[in-house]
């Protein structure tokens, strides 16, 4: 792709690429757009470096990949500018009430490995993220490829989980982390907004997604979100829970060697494939402010459904984390 400076995200790995210096004008070029989409389909993640750090560029870049999906809840903060649909504003002020302890340190904004909207039958295509206020330490966003995770599982665990479906429900109570919680994990203080989220979701049916699915390329993807998982469909037994916990712990263990953790700069933007990639947040010292902005790309892989055949009318308002 002669027009762009493209290089691997990680040397000697096929997961992800970096593109440097993309301009607003280039986002309008059909050939450039097609080339970027081909890279995204193949590699699952793109880090755009040295781009214009503006909402206009954020939206233009997002539109390269498809139409934006606006957030259905008007309570979620947005960038208040005309022509900027779907840009949500995630601000963590110093010393928030929600905090956890992990690895012997107290942090805020930590999130475990997950894919977005697991609690809904439809999965958005992707997310495009950028950082505005960056803590001097921590605050990293991690990504791990489900294709690589599948290959890294032991053969017996692959055989045990393949063909199984996982049940998910909206659950933002950090003291209620069912599967694969890291050693030493403790919730020190819940986010005060969590109770309202749980109340709004209490009557929503659980969503179901396959633990492993096959891409058009023929590659198998391990696509299990330890966060918000409730069990294995048709096997909510001690044995089924033990299997899901084994898989979740294997994800955390394999991610130690396979994950990419992005250290943010204001001129970075990145996109990841929500049908293939899990992501996480490292957390940061509560004394620092962190502000991120994000868009969501519409789409669905067509493999999820609500338990019991519930219709789309039962889905809850989607919330971005």
């Amino acid at each position: 792709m002669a027009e762009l400076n493209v290089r691997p995200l990680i040397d000697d790995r096929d997961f992800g690429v970096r593109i440097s210096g993309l301009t607003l004008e280039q986002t309008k070029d059909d050939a450039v757009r097609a080339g970027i989409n081909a890279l995204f389909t193949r590699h699952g993640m793109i880090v755009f470096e040295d781009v214009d750090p503006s909402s206009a560029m954020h939206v233009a870049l997002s539109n390269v990949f498809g139409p934006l999906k606006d957030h259905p809840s008007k309570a979620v903060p947005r960038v208040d500018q005309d022509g900027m649909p779907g840009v949500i504003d995630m601000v963590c002020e110093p010393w928030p009430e929600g905090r956890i302890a992990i690895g012997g340190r107290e942090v805020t904004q930590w999130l475990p490995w997950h894919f977005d909207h697991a609690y809904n039958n439809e999965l958005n295509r992707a997310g495009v993220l950028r950082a505005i206020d960056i803590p001097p330490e921590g605050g990293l966003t991690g990504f791990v490829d489900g294709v690589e995770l599948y290959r890294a599982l032991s053969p017996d665990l692959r055989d045990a989980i393949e063909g199984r479906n996982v049940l998910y429900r909206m659950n933002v109570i950090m003291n209620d982390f069912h599967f694969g919680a890291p050693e030493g994990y403790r919730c020190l203080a819940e986010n005060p907004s969590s109770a309202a989220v749980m109340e709004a979701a209490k009557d929503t049916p659980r969503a179901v997604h396959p633990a492993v699915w096959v891409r058009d390329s023929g590659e198998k993807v391990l696509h299990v979100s330890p966060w918000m998982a409730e069990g294995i469909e048709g096997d909510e037994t001690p044995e089924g829970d033990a299997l899901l916990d084994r898989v979740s712990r294997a994800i955390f263990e394999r991610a130690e060697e396979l994950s990419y953790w992005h250290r943010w700069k204001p001129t970075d933007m990145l996109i990841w494939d929500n049908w293939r990639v899990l992501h996480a947040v490292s957390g940061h010292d509560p004394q620092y402010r962190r502000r991120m902005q994000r868009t969501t790309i519409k789409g669905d892989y067509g493999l999820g459904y609500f338990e019991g055949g519930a219709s789309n009318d039962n889905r809850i308002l989607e919330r971005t984390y």
Side-chain angles (χ1 to χ4, degrees):
M1 208 166 147
E3 302 92 341
L4 298 174
N5 179 4
V6 181
R7 64 190 194 280
L9 180 67
I10 308 165
D11 288 342
D12 302 320
R13 298 262 294 279
D14 198 49
F15 172 51
V17 294
R18 300 177 189 270
I19 296 178
S20 299
L22 184 75
T23 66
L24 187 61
E25 192 63 29
Q26 284 176 306
T27 66
K28 304 171 187 176
D29 184 295
D30 287 343
V32 171
R33 292 164 69 96
I36 291 174
N37 272 284
L39 288 168
F40 181 59
T41 299
R42 174 179 171 182
H43 298 285
M45 181 177 174
I46 302 176
V47 174
F48 295 91
E49 300 175 318
D50 302 319
V51 298
D52 171 23
S54 68
S55 292
M57 182 63 181
H58 192 172
V59 171
L61 178 59
S62 302
N63 282 325
V64 168
F65 300 95
L68 301 190
K69 180 178 183 178
D70 196 10
H71 202 290
S73 173
K74 301 306 179 186
V76 174
R78 286 156 166 84
V79 176
D80 188 17
Q81 291 178 279
D82 291 339
M84 305 297 178
V87 181
I88 62 171
D89 205 18
M90 299 173 286
V91 181
C92 177
E93 299 290 357
W95 301 112
E97 293 186 61
R99 298 195 296 278
I100 68 149
I102 188 166
R105 59 195 178 101
E106 179 180 336
V107 297
T108 189
Q109 297 281 287
W110 178 87
L111 289 179
W113 294 107
H114 66 286
F115 58 85
D116 285 332
H117 302 165
Y119 47 82
N120 276 325
N121 62 331
E122 296 178 0
L123 296 185
N124 61 281
R125 179 71 179 94
V128 180
L129 192 64
R130 73 185 184 107
I132 297 174
D133 293 326
I134 304 168
E137 56 186 69
L140 282 61
T141 310
F143 302 89
V144 64
D145 182 18
V147 173
E148 292 185 339
L149 281 175
Y150 177 81
R151 294 170 181 164
L153 279 187
S154 64
D156 67 309
L157 199 48
R158 280 202 303 262
D159 291 344
I161 198 61
E162 198 158 348
R164 302 293 196 107
N165 294 326
V166 180
L167 296 155
Y168 298 96
R169 187 189 298 280
M170 166 67 89
N171 187 352
V172 294
I173 303 300
M174 300 305 289
N175 204 30
D176 189 25
F177 188 0
H178 293 299
F179 299 103
E183 188 174 349
Y185 170 87
R186 285 187 301 126
C187 177
L188 302 176
E190 294 284 359
N191 188 316
S193 67
S194 297
V197 174
M198 297 298 289
E199 177 63 24
K202 68 178 183 180
D203 296 324
T204 304
R206 295 184 294 185
V208 187
H209 294 281
V212 176
W213 71 281
V214 184
R215 303 179 72 224
D216 290 343
S217 62
E219 296 167 302
K220 292 185 176 181
V221 181
L222 177 65
H223 203 234
V224 173
S225 175
W227 192 31
M228 302 194 189
E230 291 219 325
I232 293 176
E233 183 185 37
D235 194 9
E236 292 183 85
T237 64
E239 293 77 18
D241 287 352
L243 172 59
L244 187 52
D245 192 63
R246 281 180 63 204
V247 172
S248 297
R249 292 187 182 282
I251 288 171
F252 277 88
E253 290 168 5
R254 298 286 81 78
E256 289 291 323
E257 60 193 75
L258 295 175
S259 58
Y260 166 78
W261 287 90
H262 188 70
R263 296 183 178 274
W264 287 99
K265 296 183 294 184
T267 53
D268 292 339
M269 296 184 191
L270 60 78
I271 183 170
W272 70 97
D273 183 341
N274 190 49
W275 306 342
R276 166 179 173 176
V277 176
L278 302 182
H279 61 286
V281 183
S282 70
H284 65 275
D285 190 306
Q287 68 179 302
Y288 299 119
R289 189 176 197 262
R290 184 175 186 260
R291 183 183 181 194
M292 310 292 291
Q293 289 185 348
R294 171 186 167 146
T295 57
T296 301
I297 311 301
K298 284 183 181 179
D300 184 35
Y301 72 158
L303 300 177
Y305 54 90
F306 282 123
E307 188 178 26
S311 71
N312 284 353
D313 293 339
N314 290 297
R315 67 183 161 188
I316 60 176
L317 293 181
E318 294 172 350
R319 189 170 162 151
T320 301
Y321 291 90

